[in-house]
Amino acid sequence: MDCGYFDAGRCTSCALMGQPYPEQLAAKQAHAEQLLAPFGVGAWHPPVASGERDYRNKAKMVVGGTVDAPTIGILDADGHGVDLQACGICSPGHRAAFPVLARFITLARIAPYDVAARRGELKHLIVTESPDGELMVRFVLRSTEPVARIRKHLPVLLAELPQARVVTVNLLPEHKAVLEGDAELVLTEQETLPMRLNDVTMHLRPQSFFQTNTAIAAALYAEARDWIRELAPDSAWDLYSGVGGFALHLAGDGAGSAGPEITGIETSVEAVASAELSRTDAALHRLRFAAGDATEFALAASSAPDLVVVNPPRRGIGAELAGWLEQSAGISHVLYSSCNAASLAKDLRAMPSYRPVRARVFDMFPQTSHFEVMVLLERR
């Protein structure tokens, strides 16, 4: 894939841009195999390739420029806006929405935030597209000052962008390098964005995490379901469950059976609310979600399940949870989905009683060095 922004030096976020995609994928596979070689992986499945472009379902764009000429993209080293509305890894739905949103910024007189001067209002636009082409649009603001104008002109935005099903304002009053704040104001009647993957529909709330690449996420969850179906566990935990992607796929196993009894644990209250809505819609009675810390939940539990699924952030599950899994003899299998193979390897060193019987790379992030790798661990 070629990118004019990258070639011109305007954006270098995609570090592998211009490298032939087969080479990217082969290098990721080789890196994963190298890191996990000490653990004797029983079988490596072929890597799951992504489309090279248009793959992101979530665009996290910095707003710069002026109210009459806003930029949607990133900031340069001097804090000036760099417009990236034609970014090739964003979805076509994103690229179609950006000009409409730029016009709306001018119409509603939402002044872009000036980082150097620490004035203005609009810091970021976060736009998520569902597999059905519907959008969630979030305006990240410094204060509530523009909210009345956004409400006033919202019918114009919805008329020009009818695929926008959820529109919100997120408040980030602090001057710091984060994407969003804690407070969220939903401006539309619909509060969640349905994300339909395989035969499962997940409801995405504004501050809930969802895998960036819809097609690869669908492949990841389907593969997990296939691997676990062969084991037929009666009980399972999904730790770091997010909006419930793994748990919802395992609870309804695609073969018509009820699936195992599953508990999903996630720190984000928003994500748990999303997962519970999806569970209720699907009438999955052997599945429940709760808000909490994964490690604290495991250590406080009076009994352990047959299977544990973990999908942690880049830091991995850590020594305490890894040690608990190592000592929990009743857990015969662990399904570990990792976005950082280095932290996965570190965690595996703390769990010598488990052997990776199968593994697979899922290329969630083409044009970058990042990827997802899923391993099935079996107690020796």
Side-chain angles (χ1 to χ4, degrees):
M1 174 182 169
D2 295 318
C3 172
Y5 297 134
F6 185 85
D7 293 342
R10 297 181 65 191
C11 175
T12 57
S13 299
C14 296
L16 302 184
M17 187 64 69
Q19 180 179 343
Y21 183 67
E23 292 182 10
Q24 294 184 31
L25 191 60
K28 293 178 183 185
Q29 178 69 28
H31 185 51
E33 290 185 12
Q34 178 188 22
L35 286 171
L36 301 189
F39 310 103
V41 177
W44 277 100
H45 297 253
V48 178
S50 170
E52 294 184 45
R53 56 178 298 125
D54 304 335
Y55 69 83
R56 287 194 67 93
N57 56 39
K58 185 176 185 178
K60 300 176 284 187
M61 310 298 270
V62 181
V63 180
T66 67
V67 70
D68 290 309
T71 61
I72 298 175
I74 59 175
L75 300 180
D76 64 17
D78 297 319
H80 300 136
V82 177
D83 197 79
L84 302 176
Q85 292 189 42
C87 174
I89 66 170
C90 290
S91 73
H94 291 142
R95 295 196 293 272
F98 292 149
V100 179
L101 292 169
R103 291 194 295 272
F104 183 76
I105 291 168
T106 302
L107 174 67
R109 311 306 293 173
I110 317 170
Y113 185 68
D114 186 321
V115 173
R118 299 195 178 192
R119 65 170 179 260
E121 288 294 336
L122 183 55
K123 296 182 175 182
H124 305 121
L125 278 173
I126 305 174
V127 185
T128 303
E129 184 178 25
S130 77
D132 297 316
E134 296 183 331
L135 299 177
M136 177 187 293
V137 178
R138 302 171 64 206
F139 295 88
V140 181
L141 303 176
R142 184 177 62 87
S143 76
T144 58
E145 187 276 331
V147 172
R149 296 192 302 279
I150 293 175
R151 286 188 182 276
K152 175 184 176 181
H153 296 290
L154 186 59
V156 176
L157 176 62
L158 298 179
E160 286 198 57
L161 199 64
Q163 62 269 42
R165 292 291 183 262
V166 183
V167 179
T168 77
V169 163
N170 176 274
L171 296 177
L172 179 59
E174 301 87 357
H175 179 82
K176 58 183 181 181
V178 296
L179 182 65
E180 61 190 41
D182 295 328
E184 197 90 23
L185 177 63
V186 180
L187 305 180
T188 49
E189 182 177 351
Q190 187 167 319
E191 297 185 0
T192 66
L193 186 68
M195 303 292 286
R196 182 179 47 80
L197 273 68
N198 304 313
D199 57 349
V200 171
T201 297
M202 287 167 275
H203 291 273
L204 188 63
R205 296 181 69 83
Q207 296 187 44
S208 301
F209 169 79
F210 193 81
Q211 297 283 9
T212 301
N213 188 321
T214 303
I216 297 299
L220 179 74
Y221 296 142
E223 186 89 347
R225 174 190 278 174
D226 288 344
W227 289 4
I228 299 308
R229 183 187 297 157
E230 297 175 9
L231 305 177
D234 187 59
S235 59
W237 291 348
D238 180 8
L239 304 183
Y240 313 93
S241 57
V243 295
F246 283 101
L248 290 162
H249 278 79
L250 300 183
D253 72 353
S257 70
E261 184 173 352
I262 301 175
T263 299
I265 301 296
E266 167 60 43
T267 57
S268 168
V269 175
E270 282 282 293
V272 171
S274 298
E276 272 292 295
L277 179 58
S278 303
R279 180 197 66 80
T280 301
D281 279 0
L284 296 171
H285 304 296
R286 285 168 58 84
L287 170 61
R288 76 176 186 94
F289 293 96
D293 177 81
T295 301
E296 292 177 2
F297 171 81
L299 268 59
S302 58
S303 60
D306 302 326
L307 166 79
V308 172
V309 177
V310 292
N311 182 29
R314 290 191 60 78
R315 65 178 180 273
I317 64 174
E320 197 171 13
L321 182 54
W324 181 86
L325 287 167
E326 172 67 16
Q327 297 300 319
S328 300
I331 301 174
S332 58
H333 292 88
V334 175
L335 184 73
Y336 194 135
S337 183
S338 170
C339 60
N340 183 359
S343 62
L344 167 60
K346 181 179 180 180
D347 289 335
L348 291 183
R349 284 193 289 272
M351 297 187 289
S353 295
Y354 286 97
R355 178 177 69 93
V357 293
R358 52 174 58 174
R360 193 165 202 177
V361 166
F362 295 80
D363 192 12
M364 196 75 71
F365 312 99
Q367 317 307 332
T368 79
S369 59
H370 301 295
F371 58 89
E372 193 89 6
V373 58
M374 186 167 69
V375 297
L376 179 63
L377 308 175
E378 182 177 76
R379 189 172 288 277
R380 298 180 191 273

